[in-house]
């Protein structure tokens, strides 16, 4: 993957705002597209790649447009798409977004401490009007069945890239999704997780075989602490799970060159206090064991902006780079380019300017208004130019 050799490159975390027509096409087909919808998808991918270039984004993707999104507010398309590409799952029990988040994060200390806030629906879940979340039940052996879907997405993206003037490109794929719902086939969750990791390896390899870089989306690495350990503060139990999780991820990446892999983690996209987010210092030693050449993470929102200091002292292995988020989806305030530049320069001073690519906290699609999303990407590019001038002179 490209590095910031003579200026700070820019990228983002993956999801970008979908056109209304594409969302409607997915909704009408309950997540599937007919012939007209497929043509609409191809056109939308071409447009979103071109728009990233116009905004000054150097390392672009397809906006994750091949992952079905049926509402203009959607926090989960990055993960739920996978159940349409795997055997062994049955989707059950449709619920509204607020009930789904409560099911996933029901043991969160943050949600207990700020129960009145979450009960008021101020975390953004009231904005999702149509989207019903179906929980996956594992009812049979897990195998990858998404060959046609991933090849379609690759073809659409490469066609768009042929007409674009950009530095580099990536496609994102989920690691394990959110491990919720009944387990009716595998005896243990560990056995199920191994089967899922080995199935998803086929998608990772397909992306890399096509000459593209793959981004592994894995919020679980830090969010499992929030989901299952924050109420008791059981850091030891969490770290035992996290070490096994990283080993499993590296198993899933077997045979894929590290230079073709970037890894994204985040603390969840809901709008809330995030008061018990796991500090990155508690997991950074495990994070850098992931066999990837670039690490993408939240660094712009108030819970994590100070964590650039965690990277001091040679934590980052030689030959690898960081992609700190320097604009965020968690506020509607548009970042000033000088603020963006300051955030970038802090990381450049700690890990080396050539080891920094400026990114976003998380995906923008389905999280913030499209107009604001594109404005934030422009601020990202302008801030990176300022940081480049300061770092290179």
């Amino acid at each position: 993957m490209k590095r910031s050799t003579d200026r700070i490159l820019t990228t983002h975390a993956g999801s970008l705002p979908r056109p209304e027509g594409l969302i409607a096409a997915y909704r009408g087909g309950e997540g599937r597209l007919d012939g007209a919808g497929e043509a609409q998808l191809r056109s939308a991918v071409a447009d979103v790649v071109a728009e990233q270039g116009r905004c000054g984004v150097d390392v672009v993707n397809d906006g994750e447009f091949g992952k079905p999104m049926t509402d203009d507010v959607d926090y989960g398309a990055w993960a739920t798409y996978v159940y349409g590409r795997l055997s062994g799952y049955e989707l059950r029990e449709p619920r509204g977004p607020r009930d789904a988040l409560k099911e996933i994060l029901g043991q969160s200390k943050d949600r207990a401490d700020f129960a009145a806030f979450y009960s008021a629906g101020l975390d953004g879940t009231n904005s999702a009007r149509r989207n019903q979340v179906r929980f996956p039940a594992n009812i049979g052996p897990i195998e990858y069945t998404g060959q046609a879907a991933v090849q379609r997405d690759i073809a659409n993206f490469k066609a768009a890239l042929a007409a674009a003037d950009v530095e580099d490109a990536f496609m994102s794929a989920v690691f394990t999704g959110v491990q919720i719902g009944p387990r009716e086939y595998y005896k243990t969750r560990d056995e199920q997780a191994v089967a899922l990791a080995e199935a998803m390896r086929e998608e990772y390899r397909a992306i890399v075989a096509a000459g593209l870089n793959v981004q592994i989306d894995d919020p679980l690495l830090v969010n499992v602490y929030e989901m299952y350990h924050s109420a008791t503060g059981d850091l030891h139990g969490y770290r035992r799970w996290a070490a096994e999780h990283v080993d499993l991820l590296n198993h899933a990446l077997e045979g894929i060159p590290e230079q073709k892999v970037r890894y994204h983690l985040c603390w969840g996209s809901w709008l809330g206090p995030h008061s018990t987010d796991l500090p990155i210092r508690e997991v950074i030693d495990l994070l850098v064991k992931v066999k990837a050449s670039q690490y993408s993470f939240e660094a712009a929102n108030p819970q994590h902006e100070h964590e650039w200091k965690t990277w001091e002292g040679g934590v980052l292995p030689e030959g690898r780079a960081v992609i700190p988020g320097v604009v965020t989806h968690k506020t509607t305030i548009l970042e000033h380019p000088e603020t963006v530049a300051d955030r970038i320069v802090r990381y450049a001073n700690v890990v080396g300017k050539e080891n920094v690519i400026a990114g976003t906290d998380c995906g923008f699609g389905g999280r913030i208004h499209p107009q604001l999303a594109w404005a934030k990407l422009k601020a990202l590019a302008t801030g990176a130019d300022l940081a480049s001038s300061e770092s290179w002179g």
Side-chain angles (χ1 to χ4, degrees):
M1 285 183 279
K2 292 289 183 72
R3 303 287 290 274
S4 297
T5 54
D6 55 5
R7 64 182 178 88
I8 298 294
L9 296 179
T10 58
T11 188
H12 59 92
S15 181
L16 292 172
R18 276 73 159 172
E20 288 284 344
L22 183 60
I23 294 172
Y26 275 125
R27 187 187 312 128
E30 296 184 345
R32 295 180 175 83
L33 297 175
D34 58 17
E38 292 288 354
Q40 195 167 16
L41 174 61
R42 286 192 295 274
S43 176
V45 170
D47 289 344
V48 79
V49 170
E51 186 62 23
Q52 289 170 77
R54 285 191 288 269
C55 287
V57 177
D58 297 304
V59 185
V60 305
N61 80 333
D62 63 345
E64 299 188 8
F65 283 12
K67 298 175 181 178
M69 203 172 89
T70 58
D71 195 352
D72 53 2
V73 176
D74 189 325
Y75 292 102
W78 63 273
T80 55
Y81 86 97
V82 78
Y83 299 112
R85 300 186 183 188
L86 294 169
S87 67
Y89 282 100
E90 180 179 85
L91 299 181
R92 300 176 181 169
E93 307 170 32
R95 309 168 193 197
R98 192 191 304 184
D99 290 337
L101 278 176
K102 185 177 180 181
E103 178 81 14
I104 297 167
L105 294 164
Q107 300 179 50
S108 161
K109 185 177 186 299
D110 182 68
R111 289 186 173 256
D113 290 350
F114 293 91
F117 167 85
Y118 284 109
S119 295
L122 299 176
D123 55 347
T125 53
N126 280 349
S127 299
R129 299 183 297 274
R130 314 174 189 91
N131 208 22
Q132 292 289 305
V133 177
R134 291 175 174 264
F135 277 37
N138 172 231
I139 60 171
I142 298 172
E143 295 179 356
Y144 190 72
T145 59
Q147 292 86 356
V150 72
Q151 291 301 330
R152 174 204 65 186
D153 292 346
I154 289 169
N156 288 343
F157 187 31
K158 292 184 78 171
L161 287 172
D165 181 19
V166 296
E167 289 286 338
D168 211 350
F170 73 98
M171 290 184 69
S172 57
V174 70
F175 174 37
T176 55
V178 180
Q179 293 297 296
I180 56 175
R183 184 187 71 255
E184 298 174 3
Y185 180 79
Y186 293 98
K187 294 179 181 178
T188 67
R189 286 208 177 274
D190 286 346
E191 187 181 359
Q192 178 184 346
V194 170
L196 183 49
E198 291 178 346
M200 287 306 296
R201 181 191 292 152
E202 186 168 345
E203 181 160 292
Y204 312 153
R205 287 181 172 177
I207 293 169
V208 172
L212 301 167
N213 301 308
V214 61
Q215 174 176 294
I216 304 299
D217 288 335
D218 183 22
L220 279 184
L221 181 64
V222 288
N223 280 338
V224 159
Y225 176 81
E226 179 69 26
M227 293 160 66
Y228 300 122
H229 301 280
S230 62
T232 61
D234 181 13
L235 187 59
H236 178 74
Y238 158 76
R239 279 186 54 87
R240 185 170 58 247
W241 170 86
E244 295 174 353
H245 183 74
V246 169
D247 286 344
L248 181 59
L249 172 56
N250 286 335
H251 175 65
L253 292 172
E254 193 174 279
I256 301 174
E258 291 183 20
Q259 294 78 11
K260 299 296 292 181
V261 180
R262 51 189 260 181
Y263 176 79
H264 172 71
L265 65 83
C266 70
W267 283 263
S269 292
W270 70 89
L271 305 178
H274 285 266
S275 61
T276 50
D277 280 6
L278 180 77
I280 200 169
R281 68 173 180 270
E282 303 294 356
V283 75
I284 196 167
D285 60 320
L286 299 176
L287 166 61
V288 296
K289 289 182 179 179
V290 174
K291 293 180 179 178
S293 64
Q294 299 178 359
Y295 302 106
S296 162
F297 49 87
E298 294 188 57
N301 68 70
Q303 272 293 332
H304 299 284
E305 185 172 0
H306 67 287
E307 292 187 322
W308 59 271
K309 291 173 280 190
T310 309
W311 293 90
E312 293 178 325
V315 174
L316 182 67
E318 186 176 354
R320 298 185 183 180
V322 295
I323 309 175
V326 291
V327 294
T328 186
H329 58 300
K330 288 180 175 172
T331 175
T332 54
I333 298 173
L334 179 62
E335 291 85 354
H336 193 283
E338 289 190 24
T339 299
V340 173
D342 288 346
R343 289 168 175 167
I344 295 169
V345 170
R346 289 186 199 124
Y347 277 90
N349 290 340
V350 169
V351 302
K353 58 192 178 185
E354 70 282 359
N355 298 324
V356 178
I357 297 172
T360 63
D361 272 358
C362 198
F364 286 162
R367 281 88 182 261
I368 59 175
H369 191 277
Q371 186 177 27
L372 184 54
W374 294 113
K376 283 177 175 274
L377 289 179
K378 290 176 182 176
L380 167 68
T382 305
D385 287 343
L386 294 174
S388 296
S389 295
E390 181 172 343
S391 297
W392 271 272

